[in-house]
Amino acid sequence: MKPLSFKSLKQMLDTLRTEEECRVYLETLRWNGKPVCPHCGSISEHHYKLTQNGEFKGLYKCRDCKKRFTIRQGIMFEDSNLPLRTWFHAIYLVFISKKGISSCQLARELGVTQKTAWFMLQRIRHNMKDDDIDFDDTTQVDETYIGGKTKRNKGGQGRSTKQKIPVMGLLSKGKVHTRVIPNAGKDTLQGVIYNLIKEGVTVVTDGWKGYRGLGKKYKHKVVNHSKSLFKFYLITS
Ligand SMILES: [Zn+2]
């Protein structure tokens, strides 16, 4: 399964219908075919796949340290019994809600209790918050539109409709900071960058013209990377 960037909540929910589909999606994103043992760090396509009631459901046994693990271990879903699909749904909603989302709203959308929604919100926000990130080391910067089809280079800068919300993500030291931005124009993007990232560090972006000129204050590295903050988030959370 090829990891997808989802253009809308509906597309995500239509694509990831079952726990199994969500698990495979997350595994592909994080491991790319080579499961990583969270106990000893061993990376191998040949970790043992254990069956439960005759079926493989994502439980691995490390071929080196012999300990068991799943994709949930070591990340935010670790000690939760909630389906991954519910988590993905919640994360998506948090991403697209400009003014924030309350636990009541989230509970209604997801069909879970408010207590559960509150717990999920705490955890998602904890993983998104930037208080404990210092952007004084290599930082990867990307932006995307969530909830719409228009690509930035077709829509032009500064255009904003209700359908698409520009979101910017900064990834450093394995943590991601995301924020909703008014547009993906140069002034906006570089304003955020100058504000948050320490001068002189390496900043990695794609070739979008909004990032041109960063070389004056940073070591600017241009690469081609796929666009999805949602993916970003799931990889690093
Ligand atoms: Zn191991």
Side-chain angles (χ1 to χ4, degrees):
M1 187 178 175
K2 213 169 149 249
L4 301 162
S5 301
F6 299 110
K7 299 279 196 275
S8 67
L9 179 62
K10 186 178 179 303
Q11 193 198 18
M12 185 190 83
L13 294 176
D14 286 350
T15 309
L16 304 176
R17 288 159 305 180
T18 63
E19 181 67 8
E20 179 67 7
E21 284 173 345
C22 291
R23 174 184 67 79
V24 171
Y25 177 76
L26 190 57
E27 285 191 4
T28 309
L29 271 184
R30 296 192 72 223
W31 292 341
N32 198 21
K34 290 189 178 172
V36 182
C37 169
H39 307 290
C40 72
S42 168
I43 303 171
S44 171
E45 303 161 63
H46 305 295
H47 288 313
Y48 311 110
K49 292 180 171 182
L50 303 181
T51 53
Q52 296 157 283
N53 302 324
E55 237 182 291
F56 174 66
K57 290 175 182 168
L59 181 63
Y60 293 85
K61 186 178 167 185
C62 177
R63 59 180 310 199
D64 291 312
C65 74
K66 311 288 187 240
K67 286 182 184 157
R68 294 173 176 206
F69 63 92
T70 70
I71 186 70
R72 285 186 182 231
Q73 230 153 322
I75 54 173
M76 63 180 289
F77 315 116
E78 182 167 46
D79 55 354
S80 154
N81 293 321
L82 288 162
L84 286 174
R85 192 169 188 262
T86 308
W87 275 112
F88 290 1
H89 193 162
I91 292 165
Y92 209 100
L93 289 173
V94 172
F95 264 105
I96 60 172
S97 53
K98 267 186 175 173
K99 289 174 184 152
I101 188 165
S102 72
S103 53
C104 289
Q105 275 174 289
L106 193 63
R108 269 199 309 275
E109 295 279 349
L110 300 178
V112 299
T113 64
Q114 199 198 332
K115 199 178 155 197
T116 299
W118 186 87
F119 158 77
M120 296 178 89
L121 265 184
Q122 296 301 308
R123 189 153 283 188
I124 292 167
R125 285 183 186 142
H126 176 78
N127 277 272
M128 280 170 98
K129 78 176 184 178
D130 60 331
D131 311 3
D132 48 356
I133 318 179
D134 292 317
F135 293 98
D136 55 6
D137 201 349
T138 301
T139 305
Q140 194 175 334
V141 181
D142 201 358
E143 25 64 45
T144 192
Y145 286 98
I146 293 185
K149 284 185 188 135
T150 313
K151 289 198 176 111
R152 63 187 176 192
N153 48 1
K154 286 182 187 161
Q157 77 178 58
R159 244 184 69 180
S160 171
T161 70
K162 275 182 188 148
Q163 273 76 43
K164 56 190 181 80
I165 298 158
V167 182
M168 186 173 176
L170 294 89
L171 179 73
S172 187
K173 298 174 193 164
K175 294 212 169 212
V176 65
H177 164 70
T178 60
R179 61 166 62 188
V180 172
I181 47 176
N183 59 64
K186 186 174 176 178
D187 291 348
T188 305
L189 295 173
Q190 300 204 3
V192 174
I193 289 171
Y194 289 142
N195 230 324
L196 294 177
I197 307 177
K198 204 180 155 207
E199 212 176 311
V201 306
T202 303
V203 175
V204 184
T205 71
D206 64 9
W208 170 236
K209 63 184 180 190
Y211 297 117
R212 268 179 218 161
L214 283 176
K216 284 176 213 153
K217 287 200 175 176
Y218 302 98
K219 293 184 198 94
H220 187 200
K221 234 172 101 182
V222 178
V223 296
N224 279 319
H225 51 71
S226 62
K227 264 164 216 59
S228 173
L229 291 169
F230 184 71
K231 286 201 305 199
F232 248 2
Y233 184 78
L234 290 178
I235 292 166
T236 57
S237 59

